[in-house]
Amino acid sequence: MDHIDHVLIVDDDREIRELVAAYLARNGLRVGVAADGRHMRAFLETNAVDLIVLDIMMPGDDGLVLCRELRAGKHKATPILMLTARNDETDRIIGLEMGADDYLVKPFAARELLARIKAVLRRTRMLPPNLQITEAGQRVRFGDWELDTVGRYLVDKTGTTVTLSGAEYRLLRVFVDHPQRVLNRDQLLNLTQGRDAELFDRSIDLLVSRLRQRLCDDAREPAYIKTVRSEGYVFSMPVEIAELRQ
């Protein structure tokens, strides 16, 4: 039997929940609804979902709090599409930094939401088969470096801390989650920048260059991020996952 994607809508606006749920159901999706964080947690305890649509502006735990909670728990790999009631750059950036896969500004057309949901699910399923998800509370070791997934910084072999920008951290996470796998530019753009990927075109090359500089990786003879001609990049260093020391 063919799999039918199951989407959970978390929004305190009853009218939006019902309208969106009805539209998505008419277009072939299974749909669950939740009015707040408490209902979301209860629903996820007994239901497996393929994607969560999460409103930012809600009473109690808002969408940003819930996104962080989801990314720290057993639903860390479930795609999240965030809704915001205003075109607020800060909300968008914070949401993406916390691990949201896409965002949509209210008011929106239900047709666009459906298209975004399908695009996020498609991107998620592009992941190579040997994906190893790192998570907050761990350190990722490779070569002369450790990546702290809580502080989002690098530590070299002398104990010196090297800070990373949000984009650099996301790219490094993609690489260490897919060690020794060739990733093309489209995959890297989609996995690190989501819906904005088409706006950046070849900017992934610049971001790789910046990350190599952070790792002190010689671009002419790189030890960590190697260029594969006509294909993309590969993180060639073995990766070890360890619990974060308290």
Side-chain angles (χ1 to χ4, degrees), residues 173-192:
R173 278 291 298 268
V174 170
F175 277 132
V176 299
D177 280 340
H178 304 75
Q180 300 168 327
R181 293 285 303 192
V182 176
L183 299 173
N184 63 43
R185 288 178 176 82
D186 286 342
Q187 288 174 315
L188 292 171
L189 281 167
N190 281 322
L191 291 169
T192 57

Side-chain angles (χ1 to χ4, degrees), residues 157-172:
K157 60 185 177 182
T158 68
T160 301
T161 297
V162 176
T163 59
L164 298 170
S165 70
E168 291 165 351
Y169 174 78
R170 289 194 299 272
L171 179 61
L172 183 55

Side-chain angles (χ1 to χ4, degrees), residues 37-73:
R38 180 172 62 86
H39 289 98
M40 179 195 79
R41 296 181 192 102
F43 187 91
L44 292 175
E45 281 297 315
T46 56
N47 295 272
V49 301
D50 297 286
L51 181 142
I52 299 170
V53 176
L54 185 58
D55 186 31
I56 287 183
M57 301 293 289
M58 292 190 294
D61 291 336
D62 65 21
L64 296 176
V65 170
L66 296 176
C67 182
R68 182 169 60 239
E69 177 183 315
L70 290 165
R71 284 294 173 257

Side-chain angles (χ1 to χ4, degrees), residues 78-89:
T78 303
I80 297 172
L81 191 156
M82 302 204 77
L83 302 177
T84 176
R86 60 184 187 276
N87 192 7
D88 190 318
E89 186 78 4

Side-chain angles (χ1 to χ4, degrees), residues 18-210:
E18 293 180 350
L19 289 173
V20 168
Y23 181 83
L24 296 181
R26 288 198 304 271
N27 283 273
L29 298 177
R30 291 178 61 204
V31 186
V33 296
D36 53 30
R38 180 172 62 86
H39 289 98
M40 179 195 79
R41 296 181 192 102
F43 187 91
L44 292 175
E45 281 297 315
T46 56
N47 295 272
V49 301
D50 297 286
L51 181 142
I52 299 170
V53 176
L54 185 58
D55 186 31
I56 287 183
M57 301 293 289
M58 292 190 294
D61 291 336
D62 65 21
L64 296 176
V65 170
L66 296 176
C67 182
R68 182 169 60 239
E69 177 183 315
L70 290 165
R71 284 294 173 257
K74 63 182 180 180
H75 301 286
K76 58 181 175 289
T78 303
I80 297 172
L81 191 156
M82 302 204 77
L83 302 177
T84 176
R86 60 184 187 276
N87 192 7
D88 190 318
E89 186 78 4
T90 301
D91 277 352
R92 181 179 73 85
I93 291 172
I94 293 175
L96 294 174
E97 291 287 344
M98 287 184 175
D101 298 271
D102 201 352
Y103 73 97
L104 189 58
V105 177
K106 293 180 178 180
F108 56 84
R111 183 178 179 182
E112 182 178 6
L113 176 61
L114 176 63
R116 294 285 186 82
I117 288 171
K118 290 182 175 180
V120 170
L121 289 171
R122 191 164 55 245
R123 287 201 304 268
T124 302
R125 288 159 185 165
M126 287 175 62
L127 296 174
N130 71 337
L131 171 67
Q132 58 175 49
I133 295 288
T134 56
E135 59 185 278
Q138 294 179 332
R139 275 205 173 185
V140 186
R141 297 172 182 157
F142 50 88
D144 294 332
W145 296 95
E146 287 190 355
L147 174 65
D148 187 305
T149 59
V150 174
R152 296 188 168 198
Y153 57 79
L154 285 163
V155 181
D156 70 13
K157 60 185 177 182
T158 68
T160 301
T161 297
V162 176
T163 59
L164 298 170
S165 70
E168 291 165 351
Y169 174 78
R170 289 194 299 272
L171 179 61
L172 183 55
R173 278 291 298 268
V174 170
F175 277 132
V176 299
D177 280 340
H178 304 75
Q180 300 168 327
R181 293 285 303 192
V182 176
L183 299 173
N184 63 43
R185 288 178 176 82
D186 286 342
Q187 288 174 315
L188 292 171
L189 281 167
N190 281 322
L191 291 169
T192 57
Q193 298 172 13
R195 71 165 288 227
D196 292 331
E198 70 275 10
L199 304 179
F200 290 83
D201 192 20
R202 304 269 296 182
S203 68
I204 200 69
D205 298 318
L206 177 60
L207 189 54
V208 166
S209 177
R210 283 167 42 192

